[in-house]
RNA sequence: GGAGAGGUACCGAAGCGGUCAAACGGGGCAGACUGUAAAUCUGCUGGCUCAUGCCUUCGGAGGUUCAAAUCCUCCCCUCUCCA
């Protein structure tokens, strides 16, 4: 009996680790006790909308928590919001999301499951798509769902309230989003739902809707939002401040090195980077008065989570070489361009054709700003032309190309 | 359905017949500096010609004019108030 209580305490403590809020904790405690007694695992839901092709470090926070539940023997439900992605989650939004077409959503959804496998044992997880039930719901049933909540309560939510007060448009479908997410919990019979703290409203609506449909309300555990590399907004692909988990180790490492020292501390905390991870890579744990060392360790530990120790090593080496010593990266792909009978080709055209710049105009500007190097020498003349041969091109700090110009 | 306000480049926001490729701020990019791809400072931020020339851009379609983001007509969209 007391062994059971101890186990409940242990699990609840792990569940609350790193969380912001834990709603329905005491109910969950009871439910967990019953679950353990009957050996029926809890159903733990985490929904992610496949609105961009990449899962990033911010998603990693909640995915890791889901993993923790899996390790405790519960059933993780990774819900791909292929239906909700097409509505667009209004959480934290100042404006309507552009609608995604079905094809893009499907493509993203596929890679989401694959990416989730970085965190979960997907073989033993329940992978679901909310189009399973939402796609089949009849208009009548949908209206029944809508009748369960009121406009005033939806408008209480701060991002809606702000937009409404500010005279910003809110489309009706955006208002419906929380209801659909809530219904997902009904369809899945979730015992627990995880999410970022910006999801609190949606998550709590889930509790009420479940009650309306005769289910016990899920517990809700929210987690801190990871701030993006810009240091101000939450990490999000559409804000361009995200570090995707599929990014190359060099890229990931560099991005992590670019964050401010204040943010570094936050990353350590929210992403739960431990000293053991650092020592496992054969690094000495630096003290707090060595910010550079600490940041290298953060970068290495996180890169290693996705690319292993070798990846962390590669990232570190690339950073030291290219960023700190301003040298060239070792593995430069070579591109060939043909002169097609001409004797030479203009530098601006080359830069554009190699996609080192987006237009010749941009190339011209960069040359005039001293950002373009050919064979390690800064170019000052935008009219420079190159004859057949092999060249090393550098634009700015991080754009390189090895070029073979063939006659 | 009625009345009013408004739609400007990646975002916010000026401009309201020529001097507008369009002020200013943010963002982005580059240079300098730096432990750093942070901070700071400086510059750039439509395309094509390798330039003071052409082309595309100010919700959409027409029109007035030598000339329109700026005026007129119709249409679309957003917000507010009334019904």
């Amino acid at each position: 009996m007391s062994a059971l209580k101890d186990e409940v305490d242990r699990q609840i403590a792990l569940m609350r680790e790193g969380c912001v809020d834990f709603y329905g904790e005491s109910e969950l405690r009871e439910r967990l006790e019953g679950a353990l007694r009957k050996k029926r695992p809890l159903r733990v839901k985490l929904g992610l909308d496949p609105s961009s092709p990449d899962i990033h470090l911010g998603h990693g926070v909640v995915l890791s928590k889901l993993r923790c539940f899996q390790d405790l023997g519960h059933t993780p439900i990774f819900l791909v919001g292929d239906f909700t992605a097409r509505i667009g989650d209004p959480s934290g939004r100042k404006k309507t999301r552009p609608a995604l077409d079905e094809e893009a959503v499907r493509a993203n959804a596929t890679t989401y499951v694959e990416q989730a496998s970085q965190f979960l044992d997907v073989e033993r997880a329940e992978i679901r798509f909310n189009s399973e039930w939402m796609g089949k719901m009849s208009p009548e049933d949908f209206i029944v769902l809508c009748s369960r909540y009121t406009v005033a309560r939806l408008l209480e939510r701060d991002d809606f309230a702000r937009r409404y007060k500010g005279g910003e448009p809110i489309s009706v479908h955006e208002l419906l989003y929380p209801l659909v997410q809530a219904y997902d919990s009904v369809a899945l019979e979730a015992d627990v739902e995880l999410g970022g703290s910006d999801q609190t409203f949606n998550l709590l609506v889930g509790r009420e809707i479940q009650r309306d449909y005769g289910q016990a309300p899920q517990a809700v555990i929210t987690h801190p939002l990871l701030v993006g590399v810009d240091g101000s907004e939450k990490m999000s692909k559409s804000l361009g401040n995200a570090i995707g988990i599929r990014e190359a180790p060099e890229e990931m490492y560099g991005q992590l090195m670019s964050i401010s020292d204040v943010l570094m501390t936050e990353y350590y905390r929210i992403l739960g980077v431990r000293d053991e991870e650092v020592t496992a890579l054969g690094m000495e744990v630096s003290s707090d008065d060595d910010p550079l060392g600490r940041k290298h360790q953060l970068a290495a530990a996180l890169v290693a989570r996705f690319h292993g120790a070798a990846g962390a090593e590669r990232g570190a080496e690339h950073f030291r070489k290219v960023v700190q010593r301003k040298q060239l990266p070792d593995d430069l792909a070579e591109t060939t361009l043909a002169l097609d009978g001409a004797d030479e080709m203009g530098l601006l055209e080359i830069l554009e054709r190699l996609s080192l710049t987006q237009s010749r105009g941009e190339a011209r500007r960069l040359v005039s700003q001293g950002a373009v190097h050919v064979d390690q020498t800064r170019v000052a003349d935008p009219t420079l032309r190159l004859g057949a041969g092999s060249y090393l091109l550098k634009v700015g700090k991080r754009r390189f190309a090895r070029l073979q110009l063939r006659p």
Side-chain angles (χ1 to χ4, degrees), chain A residues 146-375:
Chain A
C146 290
S147 72
R148 299 302 183 175
Y149 220 73
T150 66
V151 173
R153 301 202 54 195
L154 287 171
L155 284 177
E156 275 171 20
R157 173 194 170 134
D158 63 338
D159 32 33
F160 284 148
R162 227 190 333 265
R163 279 163 67 176
Y164 192 63
K165 248 179 253 144
E168 295 296 325
I170 302 172
S171 297
V172 174
H173 74 286
E174 297 183 79
L175 242 28
L176 266 23
Y177 187 98
L179 295 175
V180 175
Q181 180 170 341
Y183 186 80
D184 290 342
S185 293
V186 174
L188 292 168
E189 300 182 44
D191 293 306
V192 182
E193 180 163 6
L194 309 178
S197 58
D198 60 337
Q199 290 288 311
T200 307
F201 182 90
N202 295 347
L203 265 23
L204 292 176
V205 175
R207 281 168 65 83
E208 306 205 39
I209 297 296
Q210 279 180 306
R211 228 179 255 133
D212 276 330
Y213 280 79
Q215 292 184 12
Q218 63 188 5
V220 164
I221 307 177
T222 60
H223 296 81
L225 295 178
L226 194 65
V227 172
V229 291
D230 61 354
S232 54
E233 307 274 356
K234 73 167 179 178
M235 186 173 282
S236 137
K237 183 75 182 187
S238 54
L239 293 172
N241 62 4
I243 302 178
I245 65 166
R246 288 197 300 183
E247 282 182 44
E250 293 86 355
E251 199 58 25
M252 200 183 259
Y253 199 99
Q255 295 239 260
L256 287 162
M257 290 305 291
S258 83
I259 64 176
S260 70
D261 292 353
V262 178
L263 200 56
M264 165 171 78
T265 313
E266 207 172 308
Y267 274 35
Y268 262 104
R269 182 173 58 82
I270 296 179
L271 293 167
V273 176
R274 298 199 175 81
D275 288 349
E276 300 86 81
E277 280 183 82
V278 175
T279 48
L281 292 169
M283 299 170 86
E284 296 254 323
V285 176
S286 305
S287 64
D288 285 339
D289 54 5
D290 174 20
L292 183 62
R294 295 276 294 154
K295 206 177 281 179
H296 269 295
Q297 288 162 15
L298 174 75
L302 289 172
V303 171
R305 284 187 187 179
F306 304 100
H307 297 287
E313 187 47 47
R314 255 171 64 203
E317 196 164 313
H318 183 268
F319 185 81
R320 291 205 179 87
K321 194 165 181 175
V322 177
V323 179
Q324 294 187 301
R325 282 189 242 115
K326 298 190 198 304
Q327 292 172 349
L328 296 163
D330 340 273
D331 51 345
L332 263 183
E334 185 173 87
T335 320
T336 306
L337 286 180
L339 284 168
D340 277 331
D343 288 341
E344 349 167 89
M345 191 184 282
L347 176 63
L348 303 182
E349 181 181 350
I350 292 170
L351 294 176
E352 194 219 339
R353 287 178 60 175
L354 293 179
S355 300
L356 289 171
T357 62
Q358 286 195 306
S359 67
R360 293 186 200 192
E362 189 194 354
R364 175 184 296 280
R365 276 177 238 127
L366 287 170
V367 168
S368 73
Q369 292 182 111
V372 178
H373 295 250
V374 173
D375 292 334

